[in-house]
Amino acid sequence: MSNDYSFLLKPLPGFERANLIGNMATIASYFNRGYLQAFAHAWTFPEYQAHVPLEYQALGQEARAYHTTYEQILGASQLQHRIHRNQSAAEALELIQQESLQRRPVLVKSDTFYCSWLKKDYQTLHNTHFYIVTHYDVLSNQLLCTDVAYLTQNYAQSFPDFEAGFTGDLITFAPSAEQIPDHPPADPYTLLVECARRNLGHDEGSISVFDSMDVLADRLVELDQLEQQHNAALLETGQNVQLEMLLLMQARIQFLLLLEHLADSAEEPLKLILNAFQQSVRSWSAIRESYLQLSLSADERLVRLQNIAEQIRVVAMLERNIAQTILHDQQIRRIHEQYEQRWAMIQQMS
């Protein structure tokens, strides 16, 4: 296959199941790293209250708490986009060729039934899906596709599969002609201090997200029972609890990437803070996997849920300590600055 117009476009990790947003972020990252600013306040957590009667919709708080829209990502990366609707497959291929000549990716809306890299869904399940096309090779009659699902990169899709699965919509992208003023944090500590203060509940109107984590742990069994009752009544198998765990893990991954992009990771204590965030991501991943593997046996499920609840309390303690360390480091820095100023004044007087 000719690669004359293809280009390197790696799918970003940490966006499992967030297909549209993940592919948008992948495209934004190809043009520049500005998209990371959209995650500047992603270190947060849904609000759970200890004495409020639970309702099923309370499990869907992730959209309010830490969901990042593709508009935010594109805005932060200063990209303009155009949605092309009701296109034929031939019109779509012509547009893809035009964009690939300019080394620009195209986001395609399709059907999972015809996405051969999605092993579980291919020729099995009809579902709306998005993926990125970087090139259409006329000689081989194949397209090069990148997709956050399964971290697929430059996968060769046949034209018959593309034509059968294409739903008529695609999106093209270009850097914004009018540069939007960007105001990134002066240094990573500015961002960290803001998030730490808010997460600890020190800002007016804010709550301690770490207390909310503890409440989730305390009420996890109750939440799980509520979800099972709802699913049984509607014959559904959705798991909003594990989805919240997934989304907050993904948010922490992107927040960590932003910190690494802004900072010198060799600087202390920032290196320790970054390491702690990495541990938080690993912990939430393990918690989610444990929840997904819960047994249907009532007694065993209860024991496993209690164990998961204790894991959540430990992660809450870790993240609370991260926030307190950040504010403590800020206080030490201020003391040192005051000392330097006073010492310089004394030296001048003498």
Side-chain angles (χ1 to χ4, degrees):
M1 178 183 296
S2 170
N3 287 324
D4 293 345
Y5 307 120
S6 62
F7 45 87
L8 187 62
L9 186 67
K10 292 184 178 181
L12 291 176
F15 278 104
E16 178 193 354
R17 286 184 60 181
N19 179 252
L20 174 61
I21 296 174
N23 280 316
M24 285 286 189
T26 294
I27 289 171
S29 71
Y30 167 75
F31 286 96
N32 62 58
R33 300 291 289 178
Y35 82 98
L36 287 169
Q37 291 295 332
F39 297 90
H41 298 287
W43 179 27
T44 183
F45 196 81
E47 180 179 352
Y48 285 98
Q49 299 181 32
H51 306 295
V52 175
L54 287 175
E55 298 180 1
Y56 185 73
Q57 56 263 35
L59 302 178
Q61 297 178 80
E62 73 283 342
R64 183 177 74 248
Y66 38 66
H67 183 60
T68 301
T69 66
Y70 74 85
E71 289 95 344
Q72 288 174 298
I73 293 172
L74 294 179
S77 59
Q78 299 184 8
L79 289 182
Q80 56 181 341
H81 68 289
R82 180 182 176 189
I83 301 176
H84 307 261
R85 297 193 182 279
N86 303 316
Q87 302 286 300
S88 68
E91 291 171 330
L93 288 173
E94 182 179 355
L95 186 55
I96 289 169
Q97 283 189 300
Q98 292 174 359
E99 292 300 294
S100 65
L101 280 169
Q102 300 184 64
R103 305 180 70 80
R104 293 176 179 172
V106 177
L107 188 69
V108 172
K109 185 179 181 181
S110 185
D111 184 346
T112 57
F113 193 85
Y114 301 99
C115 295
S116 54
W117 59 91
L118 301 177
K119 306 302 182 185
K120 294 181 180 179
D121 298 342
Y122 183 58
Q123 299 294 314
T124 302
L125 178 67
H126 290 281
N127 200 3
T128 301
H129 192 67
F130 293 89
Y131 60 90
I132 304 165
V133 177
T134 59
H135 182 55
Y136 171 50
D137 189 274
V138 179
L139 296 178
S140 65
N141 213 23
Q142 291 180 321
L143 298 95
L144 293 182
C145 305
T146 295
D147 186 358
V148 296
Y150 296 97
L151 297 181
T152 303
Q153 179 180 350
N154 285 350
Y155 191 97
Q157 182 187 40
S158 69
F159 172 70
D161 273 351
F162 173 81
E163 186 177 35
F166 180 58
T167 61
D169 294 347
L170 64 162
I171 308 176
T172 55
F173 304 84
S176 177
E178 180 181 352
Q179 291 297 308
I180 304 170
D182 188 20
H183 302 288
D187 59 70
Y189 284 101
T190 304
L191 175 60
L192 283 168
V193 169
E194 288 178 1
C195 291
R197 286 188 55 83
R198 183 182 66 250
N199 287 354
L200 287 166
H202 291 179
D203 290 343
E204 185 177 355
S206 65
I207 65 163
S208 169
V209 301
F210 313 116
D211 289 349
S212 187
M213 287 186 198
D214 289 333
V215 172
L216 171 62
D218 294 339
R219 306 191 73 176
L220 185 62
V221 173
E222 186 180 357
L223 286 168
D224 180 70
Q225 291 174 345
L226 183 66
E227 182 163 67
Q228 288 190 80
Q229 291 169 5
H230 179 273
N231 293 341
L234 299 179
L235 301 178
E236 294 180 350
T237 57
Q239 291 182 308
N240 282 339
V241 174
Q242 70 86 10
L243 180 59
E244 285 203 353
M245 295 175 183
L246 169 66
L247 292 177
L248 68 91
M249 177 186 71
Q250 292 173 342
R252 278 153 177 74
I253 289 174
Q254 303 309 317
F255 184 72
L256 179 59
L257 287 174
L258 173 58
L259 292 180
E260 291 173 342
H261 177 62
L262 292 174
D264 177 5
S265 59
E267 183 182 352
E268 299 285 357
L270 186 58
K271 185 176 181 180
L272 295 176
I273 292 172
L274 294 179
N275 289 340
F277 270 113
Q278 291 168 356
Q279 182 58 55
S280 173
V281 170
R282 289 192 293 267
S283 298
W284 280 115
S285 177
I287 289 170
R288 174 176 168 263
E289 286 300 319
S290 296
Y291 189 80
L292 284 173
Q293 297 169 9
L294 282 176
S295 169
L296 295 179
S297 165
D299 292 340
E300 184 178 350
R301 189 178 186 90
L302 178 59
V303 173
R304 292 285 296 276
L305 280 170
Q306 291 171 341
N307 181 57
I308 293 172
E310 187 58 34
Q311 291 174 329
I312 293 174
R313 292 187 186 95
V314 171
V315 179
M317 180 181 66
L318 168 66
E319 294 197 9
R320 181 182 283 108
N321 287 340
I322 294 175
Q324 291 172 341
T325 298
I326 291 167
L327 296 189
H328 178 70
D329 181 66
Q330 182 196 36
Q331 186 178 18
I332 294 297
R333 285 168 176 249
R334 286 177 175 173
I335 292 173
H336 182 71
E337 289 173 358
Q338 292 173 358
Y339 163 78
E340 291 288 346
Q341 293 172 358
R342 293 288 298 275
W343 182 255
M345 290 175 58
I346 293 172
Q347 292 295 97
Q348 291 176 358
M349 291 175 60
S350 59

